[in-house]
Structure formats: structure tokens, C-alpha cells
Amino acid sequence: MLKHYYDLQFSPAVETIVKKDKKNPKRVLRDVKKQLQNNGIGTKSQQALKLQHELKKKKNINLIPNIKSK
């Protein structure tokens, strides 16, 4: 078969219709509601505390390699 591979005749490509997956409308509504509800921390003071905490973590991570190298 490998000897005669180039002698084979193939038919032209045929177009096919690709169906989109149907989503359950109730599931779609739940997903949208979940995304809208997931805003994270709401108050400005909580956001400020979270930012302060993240900055402190980054600062501590930068200090750790300096301590180990001494």
C-alpha cells in the first residue's frame, strides 16, 4: 500500500455544518449571576487593607533572599 500511496485518488473536501453546543438557559443565568455577584471585597477600607497586605507580602518576599545569601 505504501508503494502505491501516490497513485491513490482522494475525493475533494466536503464542507460540514458545525453545530454550536446548546447551553441550558437556567445554567447560563446561574453563571451570569455568579459572575455579577463575585465582585470581591466591597468596601474601600477592606480594599485598602488588602492592598496593604499584598504590598507587605511582596516586600517580605524580596527580603527573604537577602537574608539567605548572608
Side-chain angles (χ1 to χ4, degrees):
M1 182 156 184
L2 291 176
K3 294 178 184 177
H4 302 289
Y5 177 77
Y6 295 104
D7 296 333
L8 294 174
Q9 298 283 328
F10 294 102
S11 62
V14 179
E15 289 187 35
T16 58
I17 299 172
V18 178
K19 293 183 180 180
K20 292 184 179 180
D21 293 336
K22 293 182 181 179
K23 292 187 178 181
N24 186 343
K26 289 183 181 179
R27 182 178 298 275
V28 172
L29 285 175
R30 268 189 264 133
D31 290 341
V32 168
K33 186 178 178 182
K34 194 181 292 185
Q35 287 177 358
L36 291 175
Q37 197 174 36
N38 190 9
N39 293 335
I41 299 174
T43 64
K44 290 182 182 179
S45 61
Q46 286 176 328
Q47 290 174 354
L49 287 172
K50 185 70 173 173
L51 179 63
Q52 199 175 31
H53 184 258
E54 292 294 324
L55 292 174
K56 188 175 178 183
K57 274 189 355 185
K58 286 182 183 177
K59 183 179 176 186
N60 286 339
I61 289 173
N62 291 336
L63 290 177
I64 291 172
N66 294 337
I67 294 171
K68 288 182 179 179
S69 63
K70 288 183 179 179

